[in-house]
């Protein structure tokens, strides 16, 4: 982590880097999960990513991203439930240009970055390779990111519905997008998670599979 490090802009101005998120929600040797929360008009501050990361949107607002190297700003207008997987990137900052709260979950995948723990990963004997739902029949889920490193599904149960998801041979996370209970749960291979039934239909859940471990198993 580089918060507190001083770097120089192209014009020679010194900039002290900040954290990449507002607060840490979960941390272990494999992942670190941040909350990024920006009120209308608020800027996150200059920061740098040393690990690839996943961004999961819980509350959206028009934003723009500035780059310390002077590259053109990037306009962002994310969708609740949407997901993005990004590699490491140059120093940048995010500003909320809208009139609503911007809120996300940012998952750093540490074993692909500079903070890899070196902890070996072993496939657990008897655990099926693929993740899946316990229920028979159609489940309201769709794949929103399908990369070699990660796969992310967005699940939107109706009010009162609940589904049980079994991880496969690789670690995974379940992110509840309900602003009343925005929980993040880390699952080891072979573990199960029952999505809690809600009184009303919410923005659903994101299921994040860390598939890059299959390259080491």
């Amino acid at each position: 982590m580089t918060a507190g490090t001083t770097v120089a802009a192209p014009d020679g101005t010194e900039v002290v880097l900040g954290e990449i998120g507002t607060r840490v929600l979960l941390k272990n040797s494999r992942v670190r999960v941040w909350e990024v929360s920006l009120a209308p008009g608020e800027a996150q501050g200059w920061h740098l990513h040393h690990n690839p990361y996943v961004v999961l949107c819980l509350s959206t607002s028009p934003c723009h991203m500035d780059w310390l190297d002077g590259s053109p700003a990037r306009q962002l207008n994310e969708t609740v439930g949407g997901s993005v997987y990004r590699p490491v990137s140059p120093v940048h900052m995010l500003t909320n240009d809208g009139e609503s709260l911007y809120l996300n979950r940012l998952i750093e995948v540490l074993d692909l970055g500079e903070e890899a723990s070196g902890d070996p990963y072993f496939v657990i004997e008897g655990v099926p390779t693929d993740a899946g739902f316990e229920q028979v029949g159609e489940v309201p889920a769709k794949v929103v990111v399908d990369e070699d490193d990660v796969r992310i599904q967005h699940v939107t149960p109706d009010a009162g519905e609940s589904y049980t998801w079994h991880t496969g041979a690789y670690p995974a996370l379940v992110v509840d997008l309900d602003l009343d209970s925005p929980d993040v749960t880390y699952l080891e291979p072979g573990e199960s998670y029952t999505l809690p039934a809600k009184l009303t239909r919410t923005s659903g859940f994101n299921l994040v599979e860390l598939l890059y471990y299959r390259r080491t198993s």
Side-chain angles (χ1 to χ4, degrees):
M1 297 170 65
T2 55
T5 301
T6 300
V7 298
D11 64 1
T13 302
E14 291 189 343
V15 174
V16 178
L17 299 182
E19 301 286 8
I20 67 173
T22 310
R23 60 183 178 129
V24 175
L25 302 177
L26 184 153
K27 170 71 166 66
N28 58 36
S29 65
R30 306 297 188 187
V31 299
R32 181 165 52 233
V33 182
W34 293 85
E35 175 178 88
V36 177
S37 178
L38 295 176
E42 186 178 4
Q44 183 181 7
W46 296 111
H47 61 279
L48 177 65
H49 294 270
H50 288 282
N51 307 296
Y53 58 101
V54 172
V55 178
L56 309 174
C57 182
L58 279 72
S59 178
T60 189
S61 184
C63 296
H64 77 271
M65 189 176 292
D66 291 306
W67 306 91
L68 188 61
D69 64 6
S71 298
R74 178 190 300 167
Q75 303 300 317
L76 302 175
N77 201 341
E78 299 175 11
T79 302
V80 174
S83 307
V84 179
Y85 176 59
R86 292 178 175 145
V88 293
S89 55
V91 177
H92 59 276
M93 65 184 298
L94 185 67
T95 300
N96 182 352
D97 300 317
E99 299 180 355
S100 302
L101 172 71
Y102 173 79
L103 183 68
N104 75 28
R105 297 290 181 259
L106 191 153
I107 302 170
E108 293 184 87
V109 286
L110 303 181
D111 275 340
L112 292 182
E114 294 183 11
E115 295 184 60
S117 66
D119 293 344
Y121 173 77
F122 301 101
V123 172
I124 300 175
E125 186 175 353
V127 174
T129 300
D130 296 326
F133 288 94
E134 183 176 289
Q135 286 72 17
V136 176
E138 187 174 355
V139 174
K142 66 177 180 179
V143 175
V144 292
V145 171
D146 195 359
E147 304 275 356
D148 290 339
D149 294 336
V150 298
R151 179 168 54 220
I152 305 172
Q153 295 184 73
H154 184 211
V155 188
T156 51
D158 284 331
E161 287 186 340
S162 177
Y163 300 93
T164 298
W165 186 60
H166 302 285
T167 65
Y170 312 104
L173 297 101
V174 178
V175 179
D176 193 336
L177 304 177
D178 184 354
L179 295 180
D180 289 333
S181 56
D183 299 322
V184 179
T185 303
Y186 180 85
L187 300 174
E188 296 286 356
E191 291 189 325
S192 300
Y193 184 89
T194 299
L195 306 180
K198 307 286 185 173
L199 295 178
T200 59
R201 184 183 174 91
T202 70
S203 298
F205 304 82
N206 281 128
L207 312 178
V208 182
E209 298 175 71
L210 306 182
L211 298 183
Y212 52 85
Y213 288 113
R214 60 189 168 187
R215 298 201 294 268
T216 62
S217 58

